[in-house]
Amino acid sequence: MPAPAPVVTGISPKEGPPGTRVTIRGENFGNSPRDLIGLTICGCNCILSAEWITPNKIIARSGPGNGKGDIVVITRLGGVGGCTVQFRGYMETVGPLKESAVWVEEEISSWGRRALTTTAMQQQDPLGLSVEDSSKSLPDDQMNEYFPHPSSESLSSEDFLPARFLLKHHRGTSFDDLKAGLSHLQRKVGAHKEGQLSFLKANVGAVMDQLDTLCVLRDKFEMDALQVRMMPTISLEQSIEASRREADRLFKEVLNRRDNADAARNALSAMQRNKFLFMLPTSIEKNSMKGDYDLIVNDYTRAKSLFSDSDIDIFKKVFEEVDKRIDALIARLKTHLTTMPCTLDDQKKLARNLASLDGENNHAWNAIEARFKYLLESLTAPPEKQPENLLSPASNPPALGANAGNQNWQGELPSKVQVVEDSLEVFTFQFPELWKLGQAYFSGELQVEASPGHNRLFKDMVLKSIKTLCDLVKENLTVPSGTLTPKHKSSSKSSTDFGPWLPHCLTEMIILYNSLRGLDLPSEALAQVNSLIQDLRFHCLFVILKQTTDQVRMLYKQENWMPDLQSSTLPGRQSSGLVTSLPSLFEGKITEAVTLLKESIFVNIPGESSVNPILTNPTVHSQYGSLVQNIFHAFTQTLEHLSSSKEVQSASPMFLSQILTGSVPSSRSSSKKHPSENPLLLILSNCLHTRDVVLPSVMKTLSSLTGGQETPPLALAREAAVNSLSTLDRSICEKYLESKTDPLVGTIEPSMYIGEFDWAKLPEKSATQRGDLRPYIKEIIANLISVNCEVQNVLPSQCQRIQSYIVEMIAEEVSRLMSCIPNFNEEGVLQAHIDLTFLRKTLAPFSTPTARAFFNEAIEAIPPLENDKQKRLLEQVFIGIEARMRLQLLSLTSPSV
């Protein structure tokens, strides 16, 4: 079936020279590139450059067509199409000042100016319009007929005629375009004239001075001619003669100076032979500016060996100047040697150069003392005064330490942590250079002999530097010395503000320790750093677990009361009911803390035994168990806090009698959004899930820090957690039963006597009228179904436990009410037997021995049925009620049945 013909409805751009990229839009361009078989623009075949994009869009390059023309698209099924728009092609003019892909010939006249060319390629339109194709212009024969007199359309011709130019190049140009071109030409002419006038205005003073000078010269020449009355050539001849005589005199003086020149030449030859010495002061200054001190030392040593003992006065004077320059250089080098900051290589070079220049041995030791002093000043200086070129911005600590509850983590780096970061960076950069400089001094690398007493002094410098760093880290991170004992807890309290940064600082200290081990330092120095690392480990352990305790204690703020189905159905960790995200958040906090401890504290450092020192410290073990116990207790506190929250208090039950009597709780009248499930049941489910599922997983995670074994302190923490969660389970269950039982039991008596009901005045009913329960029995069953449904949705495993307690309360209340009824008429006795028999049978799945005893007491309080007719009637009514309330009976079936 043929397709509709293609139609071109829009193009962009609408004109351009050959090779213009044209976007063609329209309809029915085919369903694929194979459908496009032809494309012409202004009569030129452009299918080779065509690119099919969509059925409504094609991109192609225009051909060498000139003037306006159609764009025709040809498809395989639609055939030749049409168009509603046209494209205008033109040949673009290329001049000497326009970018072009071809070379534009330029003709240079003999006067140095660029001549105007007459070629079409170089022709520039004075109107600022594009020159059209000459093929559409009038033939030359016809042009000559219109203009019989000599004329030309060339701008450079003397016979240039504007009319002929317009017919030649702008025959198809519209009148509006010609007006725009005229305005363009006027602006160009005005700008050219304005440029000449502006030049004259800017230099009017100089032009007037030139005119005045010319006038003065003319007047002076005329005045001289009147006074002297002689030809100017005579005066000129006299002047030439005087010049010749003066030239002879000057030449004679030159000959006289030749002898002096020979003498000077001999002196210069001597200076050239000893140029090295005479140029040495300048060379010293030049090489000193470039910092090439080795070359100065070599030149000075050479000059000293050659000219130091010379008796020639000129050589002595020059050598004195050289000594002055060397003395000044030595003073500068001493200053540079002890001025910090200075790189290690520069100090070594300066020390060697000074030793070569003056032969003293104390320069190297001065460099060591200067670097040691600079190291101590950098460590003890305030952060803003530390050397900027040796410090870089503190790197971010590991992401495991980040937590949403820490404000310092989200904001700026704590100032004390920043001090530690900067100090570690300064020490890491400067201390190895101090040590290497000392080693170079004692090994003779600096070309001097070390003094005997400097060895002990240098060791003291090393120990003092490391002790200063360790004291600074302890002071800023409030790290107690030794292990974690109760007296150290208060000192570590403030460090919890930047607790996430402590593992990062510990990692930096371990990195520093590894770098120091490669320097072959004394054992006392490494022992100080190792001791600080152990103290940091103990401190981080306490801070991280203390911070985890604080985070767990505040988890109640993240409770959203939405069941977490994923946590309830994890493989191998199925929960007995619905749980919220709180237990998983609790487990995540502990996992995060354990991961952070593994990556920082429980990482063995080189030279340490395979067993981490923390694992072999009984005090730390005990503290570790106490801190873990505090975390478990904090989560129990979180659940207790939630059980007393507004969400729990506002979730009060509503029963039928409360609605009828208007005693609706005030919290229900508000528009506050309540949880979809009963919050107390969710808390109870979280408690049981944590005790039975989460706690074993958490203990396995915590035991991974102690070699995968549950140590006695951890066992005590687990036992305490189980006891606290069990106690909380009983407390929450009692609170839930109280919230359900008191309103439910309290509605029985009002519902029994609603409508001024009296057991002794119950009217006699016919056989068809009998057969229904009293409203209070139906409400008891409906309320129990409501509670049963609520518990089954959240915590099915506790349904029997909760319903049994509620049934006991109901049975006790019904027994009390039946015992308080003074009189029954015959119809009242029958109705009471129907109600109690059905209620006792319905609640049998949840009845305990206590509940059954109360039901028996209630039935005994009712007068017995007098004859067999009433008993048969009771059985018939009972069968009918069971049939009508079969759904309610099934709803109260015990899950175990």
Side-chain angles (χ1 to χ4, degrees):
M1 180 176 180
V7 179
V8 178
T9 58
I11 58 174
S12 177
K14 295 184 179 180
E15 62 178 6
T20 301
R21 189 171 184 267
V22 182
T23 301
I24 305 170
R25 300 185 183 276
E27 300 175 354
N28 307 321
F29 289 166
N31 297 324
S32 66
R34 295 182 179 180
D35 294 343
L36 182 64
I37 61 174
L39 174 65
T40 60
I41 300 177
C42 295
C44 300
N45 188 4
C46 302
I47 188 62
L48 295 179
S49 64
E51 179 183 359
W52 185 91
I53 305 299
T54 64
N56 300 322
K57 181 179 178 180
I58 298 174
I59 298 177
R61 297 280 181 177
S62 64
N66 195 10
K68 291 187 177 180
D70 295 337
I71 297 180
V72 180
V73 178
I74 305 174
T75 60
R76 190 180 303 276
L77 298 179
V80 180
C83 68
T84 60
V85 294
Q86 289 186 324
F87 181 81
R88 176 177 174 270
Y90 59 84
M91 296 295 180
E92 189 174 15
T93 302
V94 180
L97 301 180
K98 185 174 182 63
E99 293 182 1
S100 173
V102 299
W103 182 263
V104 180
E105 296 292 340
E106 297 180 358
E107 296 179 2
I108 307 300
S109 66
S110 58
W111 297 98
R113 290 188 177 183
R114 183 176 298 160
L116 295 175
T117 60
T118 59
T119 61
M121 185 62 69
Q122 296 180 356
Q123 183 68 43
Q124 292 187 359
D125 189 4
L127 300 179
L129 303 175
S130 61
V131 180
E132 298 178 352
D133 188 7
S134 59
S135 62
K136 290 190 176 182
S137 62
L138 294 177
D140 292 338
D141 296 337
Q142 190 174 357
M143 292 283 287
N144 292 331
E145 291 179 3
Y146 289 151
F147 306 98
H149 300 287
S151 61
S152 174
E153 66 272 9
S154 176
L155 296 176
S156 60
S157 177
E158 295 180 356
D159 299 328
F160 171 74
L161 188 64
R164 185 163 183 165
F165 173 83
L166 292 178
L167 285 176
K168 180 69 174 177
H169 298 290
H170 295 286
R171 183 185 176 192
T173 304
S174 64
F175 182 72
D176 292 335
D177 292 342
L178 291 176
K179 289 174 64 178
L182 178 60
S183 301
H184 173 75
L185 181 59
Q186 290 175 348
R187 288 193 300 270
K188 289 179 62 177
V189 173
H192 181 68
K193 291 180 178 180
E194 183 180 356
Q196 296 177 352
L197 291 176
S198 60
F199 175 80
L200 292 177
K201 290 179 181 179
N203 300 277
V204 65
V207 173
M208 296 305 297
D209 290 342
Q210 294 170 2
L211 292 175
D212 293 340
T213 303
L214 291 175
C215 292
V216 170
L217 289 175
R218 186 194 62 183
D219 295 341
K220 194 71 175 176
F221 183 81
E222 292 176 353
M223 185 179 299
D224 290 344
L226 292 175
Q227 290 178 357
V228 179
R229 294 184 180 277
M230 59 183 298
M231 294 300 292
T233 55
I234 298 174
S235 176
L236 180 60
E237 184 180 0
Q238 295 174 354
S239 299
I240 293 174
E241 183 63 22
S243 298
R244 187 183 62 79
R245 291 193 298 268
E246 183 67 18
D248 293 340
R249 186 182 65 81
L250 292 176
F251 182 73
K252 291 180 180 179
E253 292 182 359
V254 170
L255 292 177
N256 295 331
R257 287 198 299 269
R258 184 181 61 181
D259 297 335
N260 297 332
D262 292 340
R265 189 178 300 108
N266 294 333
L268 290 174
S269 177
M271 292 182 63
Q272 186 67 25
R273 289 193 303 271
N274 300 280
K275 180 181 177 181
F276 166 71
L277 177 62
F278 292 104
M279 296 297 295
L280 188 56
T282 305
S283 176
I284 290 174
E285 292 296 332
K286 186 184 299 183
N287 292 328
S288 176
M289 301 227 7
K290 294 189 298 184
D292 196 354
Y293 303 120
D294 291 337
L295 184 58
I296 295 176
V297 171
N298 293 335
D299 291 345
Y300 178 68
T301 304
R302 176 187 172 192
K304 194 174 181 180
S305 63
L306 293 175
F307 301 101
S308 61
D309 299 331
S310 177
D311 296 333
I312 302 175
D313 293 338
I314 186 64
F315 288 166
K316 289 182 178 181
K317 291 181 180 180
V318 174
F319 207 79
E320 289 177 0
E321 183 64 23
V322 171
D323 286 337
K324 291 180 181 179
R325 302 292 178 91
I326 291 296
D327 292 340
L329 177 62
I330 291 174
R332 289 199 301 271
L333 293 183
K334 288 181 178 180
T335 304
H336 294 337
L337 182 67
T338 57
T339 301
M340 303 300 294
C342 183
T343 63
L344 177 62
D345 293 337
D346 289 344
Q347 276 193 312
K348 287 182 178 181
K349 182 188 296 185
L350 291 173
R352 286 193 296 265
N353 291 332
L354 284 171
S356 300
L357 289 175
D358 61 2
E360 296 183 6
N361 295 335
N362 60 341
H363 298 300
W365 183 251
N366 292 338
I368 294 174
E369 289 182 334
R371 184 164 288 278
F372 170 67
K373 182 180 179 182
Y374 179 65
L375 173 59
L376 294 184
E377 290 177 351
S378 300
L379 291 176
T380 57
E384 63 273 7
K385 294 184 179 180
Q386 290 184 348
E388 296 181 359
N389 58 331
L390 299 181
L391 297 179
S392 61
S395 58
N396 288 333
L400 285 172
N403 58 83
N406 194 329
Q407 298 298 328
N408 287 333
W409 185 265
Q410 299 289 341
E412 189 178 356
L413 182 69
S415 58
K416 292 187 176 182
V417 176
Q418 182 67 58
V419 171
V420 173
E421 287 278 334
D422 296 342
S423 301
L424 288 175
E425 188 170 1
V426 168
F427 192 86
T428 303
F429 181 81
Q430 294 189 24
F431 181 79
E433 294 197 342
L434 173 64
W435 175 257
K436 292 177 183 178
L437 183 61
Q439 295 301 104
Y441 170 65
F442 292 109
S443 63
E445 181 184 347
L446 302 183
Q447 300 177 0
V448 294
E449 184 178 355
S451 299
H454 288 170
N455 202 338
R456 179 60 185 175
L457 292 176
F458 183 71
K459 183 177 181 181
D460 293 340
M461 289 181 183
V462 171
L463 296 178
K464 185 175 181 181
S465 300
I466 295 179
K467 185 177 184 303
T468 302
L469 175 68
C470 295
D471 293 342
L472 188 144
V473 172
K474 288 183 179 181
E475 178 182 356
N476 285 277
L477 299 183
T478 61
V479 180
S481 299
T483 58
L484 290 174
T485 56
K487 64 180 181 180
H488 294 138
K489 292 183 179 180
S490 59
S491 62
S492 300
K493 183 177 181 181
S494 60
S495 63
T496 57
D497 297 336
F498 45 85
W501 297 91
L502 289 176
H504 176 64
C505 296
L506 175 59
T507 303
E508 294 293 331
M509 284 300 304
I510 294 176
I511 294 174
L512 175 63
Y513 180 79
N514 294 335
S515 64
L516 294 180
R517 280 177 55 85
L519 297 178
D520 195 18
L521 293 176
S523 57
E524 299 92 329
L526 293 177
Q528 290 187 27
V529 181
N530 193 6
S531 176
L532 176 60
I533 290 176
Q534 302 308 324
D535 291 342
L536 269 177
R537 280 175 166 176
F538 302 144
H539 186 54
C540 286
L541 177 65
F542 170 76
V543 171
I544 291 175
L545 295 182
K546 177 65 170 60
Q547 185 177 357
T548 303
T549 303
D550 296 337
Q551 294 172 5
V552 170
R553 187 176 288 111
M554 302 304 292
L555 280 180
Y556 69 89
K557 295 183 178 180
Q558 303 181 37
E559 178 61 89
N560 56 5
W561 303 107
M562 297 297 295
D564 188 2
L565 300 179
Q566 184 177 3
S567 300
S568 304
T569 58
L570 286 176
R573 298 183 58 179
Q574 283 78 8
S575 175
S576 58
L578 293 179
V579 295
T580 64
S581 59
L582 208 60
S584 62
L585 290 176
F586 165 64
E587 185 177 3
K589 292 296 181 183
I590 295 181
T591 303
E592 178 183 323
V594 170
T595 304
L596 186 57
L597 292 174
K598 284 182 179 180
E599 294 184 355
S600 57
I601 299 175
F602 289 89
V603 175
N604 291 333
I605 61 177
E608 196 173 61
S609 61
S610 59
V611 181
N612 197 286
I614 294 182
L615 301 178
T616 59
N617 192 315
T619 305
V620 176
H621 258 303
S622 177
Q623 291 294 320
Y624 178 54
S626 299
L627 293 172
V628 170
Q629 186 173 345
N630 291 339
I631 295 176
F632 293 157
H633 183 64
F635 187 69
T636 305
Q637 290 179 334
T638 296
L639 296 178
E640 290 179 353
H641 184 277
L642 288 174
S643 65
S644 304
S645 61
K646 295 181 180 180
E647 290 81 358
V648 173
Q649 295 177 359
S650 60
S652 57
M654 289 176 55
F655 298 120
L656 180 60
S657 296
Q658 292 176 308
I659 298 175
L660 295 177
T661 58
S663 57
V664 180
S666 58
S667 60
R668 283 290 191 180
S669 61
S670 63
S671 60
K672 183 178 179 180
K673 183 179 179 180
H674 295 277
S676 58
E677 307 294 346
N678 190 290
L680 275 176
L681 286 177
L682 290 175
I683 297 172
L684 182 61
S685 181
N686 286 340
C687 180
L688 296 176
H689 179 75
T690 303
R691 185 190 65 186
D692 301 334
V693 178
V694 175
L695 190 58
S697 176
V698 167
M699 292 304 301
K700 183 178 180 181
T701 302
L702 291 171
S703 299
S704 64
L705 296 178
T706 56
Q709 298 179 356
E710 186 176 312
T711 58
L714 286 181
L716 292 176
R718 176 181 54 80
E719 184 178 355
V722 171
N723 294 335
S724 62
L725 289 173
S726 300
T727 303
L728 180 63
D729 165 43
R730 293 190 293 270
S731 175
I732 295 175
C733 186
E734 291 175 0
K735 186 176 294 187
Y736 176 76
L737 290 172
E738 182 181 352
S739 66
K740 293 296 182 181
T741 305
D742 291 348
L744 191 150
V745 173
T747 60
I748 296 177
E749 185 174 1
S751 180
M752 178 182 291
Y753 294 102
I754 192 170
E756 299 181 356
F757 176 80
D758 191 350
W759 292 98
K761 298 179 180 181
L762 192 65
E764 185 177 354
K765 299 178 182 178
S766 61
T768 57
Q769 291 176 339
R770 295 189 184 94
D772 201 0
L773 299 171
R774 288 287 301 152
Y776 76 97
I777 298 297
K778 293 181 178 180
E779 183 176 3
I780 290 174
I781 295 174
N783 291 338
L784 280 175
I785 291 174
S786 175
V787 174
N788 187 68
C789 179
E790 187 176 72
V791 178
Q792 287 282 0
N793 288 338
V794 179
L795 199 57
S797 62
Q798 301 297 312
C799 185
Q800 184 71 29
R801 170 188 176 188
I802 293 174
Q803 289 287 61
S804 298
Y805 181 83
I806 296 177
V807 169
E808 284 185 4
M809 297 296 103
I810 293 174
E812 183 179 1
E813 178 66 13
V814 170
S815 175
R816 184 187 68 81
L817 293 176
M818 289 300 175
S819 301
C820 295
I821 299 174
N823 295 314
F824 288 90
N825 61 3
E826 184 178 351
E827 193 67 31
V829 171
L830 180 60
Q831 184 64 45
H833 277 284
I834 293 173
D835 293 343
L836 292 184
T837 303
F838 183 81
L839 182 63
R840 182 173 60 176
K841 184 176 181 180
T842 301
L843 302 184
F846 304 103
S847 296
T848 63
T850 304
R852 288 192 289 270
F854 281 125
F855 279 129
N856 292 333
E857 292 178 1
I859 292 177
E860 291 175 358
I862 306 172
L865 295 177
E866 296 179 355
N867 49 46
D868 294 338
K869 179 180 178 182
Q870 288 180 335
K871 294 180 181 180
R872 288 194 300 271
L873 182 60
L874 174 63
E875 293 177 359
Q876 294 176 359
V877 171
F878 195 84
I879 294 173
I881 293 174
E882 282 186 334
R884 290 193 303 271
M885 298 189 68
R886 185 172 181 273
L887 180 60
Q888 288 85 340
L889 295 176
L890 292 175
S891 299
L892 285 176
T893 301
S894 175
S896 60
V897 177

